[in-house]
Amino acid sequence: MSSLQQCLRPSLRLLSSRIASATSSYRRFYAVARVLERTEAYANHKPDNAGDSMRTRTEALLSSGLELYPRFPQDKDVRSMSCRGFLEIYESLEPGETEEEVEMSLQGRVTSIRIGSSGLAFIDIVQDGQFVQSVCVYGRIEQSGASKSQFRNLLRQIRRGDNYSAVRVISPDDTRLISTGIKGKPHRTERGQLSLMATQLPTMQSPCLHEFPTELQNREARIRNRHLDLQVNPRAAHILRLRSSIVTNIRSFLERRGYTEVQTPILANSAGGAIARAFETSASEFPERHIKLRTAPELWLKRLVLGGFEKVFELGIDKTHNPEFTTCEFYAVYLSLEGLIDRTERLLSKLSQVTNDLICGPLASLPVCEIDFATPYRRLDFFKEIESAMKLELPDLTRPDAEAELIKIYEQLNMRLPSAPTLTRLLDRLSAEFLEPLCQNPTWIVNHPECLAPLSKSYIDPQTQRRVSARAELFIKGKEVINTYEEENSPFEQRRKFQDQVKYRADESETDIDENYLQALEWGLPPTGGWGCGVDRLVMLLSGTDRINDVLPFGNLRNVVSRSVTEGKNLSIL
């Protein structure tokens, strides 16, 4: 027994009664890591009552003589490769074939161990979502200097969830191990499994100190242990990988067309943009001032257009729906509503193709997207469709009694009034009732009333003779995904619309007239097309999930706060 083991064993016995008092899995994990560096660190390690199996596992690892948390040196003589690269490069190997002239190393987390005999084991590892089988035959590994007892020790200690790579024995009398990667030769088994034939003994990079689950279905457990959820539920990880691909393709689509990506202020003295109650805070530099989280980057981006950036876009958060809600907005000069619609349909056609290619390939746990993105998309006229569905005519919305007339229509239809029944809310409810359910495949709603789009240009519709906005909303499966319109560039019209917006303000919304923006418009904003997309909702539609929490890495704010509240409690997940 080594001197380190002799020092640690008394500490382990003395501290066994204190193991149940840890406050979090985070502290437990790193306390164990420090044990390996200095003996006295173990005195501070206090797992909770779910840590009995962890204590047993830790004692077994310590008594094995393994170095559990080694540094990862780069072996210059051996090619280190990702699992993805390995699978792609050696796909052409025939059954039974081995690349004897090639030696490489792989690293990853153990997902499966199958022991064929005392001298044969199959270890499956995963790295970045890609799985590779490692074939460990003692007859081959023995040539590196590893003893049979070391091979058996590996088979006794290895567990699902451990991070493993290979070892090199420093000298025949030295049992210490250093990692260099699962070193071996590309090989395809007789059954056709592409594998790495190990030439050195794999060893621990970092152990999993808990029993690694095979599944995680409880919703609360998944939220609290998102790191495990992503490991054991392929669909959870595949949704986030699809999200990344969608964001990448949106950015690439715009950059190829000459758009400049920018980042605009998150906090300011005015929320600006969308109608929503803004989050307020303060700053230590000027604590007497109220600072608001922006509800949309729109006004900032149009200031950049005024500054000569004729095509700009931003991918970032939007407080309108969720504190972590991600949007993409772009603005381009001399782009009409028809141009915006065409650009949108081209983008979504591209994204649907990319999605289906991924789902038919590496993201196979996701359902094939059945939404029909064939162009051109259907269009619904706001006034015509609602009046046809109600069999009633909407009032003249410019009249002072328009709100009262709409309430009478609600009474005739026996519809429940929205809370704070302002003109805009009454119209929104009618749209939600009669228009949005018709939009299952991609459908544009056009010719909205002017009051519903205060930042959009407006005009008299020649067919209905009503004042409408130059706006188009894209709905899919009854949900708004994209909002686009020709921007109002008259400072006089914009002031009037801001004033109307304040008039329609609901109790929980705060709408201030942005005087700075109005002054900027006085310098002459060119005709500009604006576009906004809810990225999270788009990912939900393309991935086939109904919960926005599933497309956010750690769920919404409630999930994040809930996780921190339960930190330190019993974290049993099985």
Side-chain angles (χ1 to χ4, degrees), residues 281-304:
T281 185
S282 61
S284 56
E285 290 85 352
F286 27 84
E288 72 284 354
R289 294 187 186 178
H290 289 293
I291 301 175
K292 297 178 181 178
L293 177 68
R294 75 177 187 202
T295 54
E298 180 171 351
L299 303 186
W300 294 107
L301 290 171
K302 284 191 282 189
R303 285 183 172 96
L304 288 173

Side-chain angles (χ1 to χ4, degrees), residues 459-466:
Y459 64 98
I460 301 298
D461 180 12
Q463 295 186 10
T464 63
Q465 295 302 307
R466 291 181 180 273

Side-chain angles (χ1 to χ4, degrees), residues 109-316:
R109 186 181 294 274
V110 175
T111 61
S112 174
I113 311 104
R114 301 177 301 284
I115 299 175
S117 66
S118 61
L120 174 65
F122 301 91
I123 302 173
D124 293 341
I125 62 172
V126 60
Q127 181 196 55
D128 200 25
Q130 302 298 309
F131 294 81
V132 171
Q133 173 180 266
S134 173
V135 181
C136 298
V137 180
Y138 178 66
R140 271 188 176 262
I141 293 175
E142 183 182 22
Q143 300 172 19
S144 69
S147 67
K148 192 64 177 284
S149 63
Q150 288 175 331
F151 187 83
R152 290 172 177 169
N153 190 33
L154 166 73
L155 301 187
R156 282 196 300 269
Q157 300 302 334
I158 192 169
R159 297 287 187 275
R160 293 183 68 253
D162 290 345
N163 289 283
Y164 260 80
S165 55
V167 305
R168 178 175 297 157
V169 179
I170 296 176
S171 70
D173 300 325
D174 197 334
T175 59
R176 290 180 299 157
L177 308 170
I178 39 178
S179 73
T180 58
I182 294 188
K183 184 183 288 186
K185 300 178 182 297
H187 169 75
R188 191 178 291 277
T189 66
E190 294 292 347
R191 295 186 177 184
Q193 177 69 48
L194 183 58
S195 308
L196 185 72
M197 181 69 72
T199 57
Q200 289 193 3
L201 193 66
T203 192
M204 194 89 64
Q205 285 281 0
S206 61
C208 176
L209 301 179
H210 297 277
E211 183 178 350
F212 204 78
T214 56
E215 61 179 6
L216 202 59
Q217 295 182 346
N218 180 273
R219 173 67 60 177
E220 183 181 353
R222 290 180 61 189
I223 290 172
R224 286 193 286 111
N225 300 276
R226 185 63 160 163
H227 50 290
L228 289 181
D229 185 26
L230 296 172
Q231 288 280 355
V232 303
N233 292 322
R235 184 172 180 271
H238 287 175
I239 288 175
L240 294 189
R241 295 184 189 279
L242 177 62
R243 175 197 177 97
S244 176
S245 179
I246 288 171
V247 170
T248 297
N249 277 274
I250 291 174
R251 177 177 281 113
S252 175
F253 180 89
L254 295 172
E255 287 177 342
R256 287 198 307 269
R257 286 159 178 78
Y259 286 78
T260 300
E261 184 173 9
V262 297
Q263 289 77 43
T264 60
I266 299 294
L267 296 171
N269 61 342
S270 175
I275 301 176
R277 180 173 53 186
F279 172 82
E280 287 192 359
T281 185
S282 61
S284 56
E285 290 85 352
F286 27 84
E288 72 284 354
R289 294 187 186 178
H290 289 293
I291 301 175
K292 297 178 181 178
L293 177 68
R294 75 177 187 202
T295 54
E298 180 171 351
L299 303 186
W300 294 107
L301 290 171
K302 284 191 282 189
R303 285 183 172 96
L304 288 173
V305 174
L306 274 161
F309 287 80
E310 296 193 347
K311 292 181 178 180
V312 293
F313 77 97
E314 180 172 11
L315 276 157

Side-chain angles (χ1 to χ4, degrees), residues 2-31:
S2 69
S3 59
L4 174 63
Q5 294 171 23
Q6 291 174 345
C7 292
L8 284 177
R9 281 192 174 278
S11 298
L12 289 170
R13 288 194 296 269
L14 290 172
L15 293 168
S16 60
S17 62
R18 301 174 62 188
I19 285 177
S21 61
T23 58
S24 72
S25 58
Y26 179 93
R27 293 175 184 172
R28 294 201 313 270
F29 186 86
Y30 283 97

Side-chain angles (χ1 to χ4, degrees), residues 11 63 68 92 153 166 265 296-297 326 333 335 340 352 369 376 421-422 424 534-535:
S11 298
S63 64
L68 305 187
S92 61
N153 190 33
T326 303
V333 299
L335 187 59
L340 290 163
S352 66
C369 181
T422 62
T424 54
V535 174

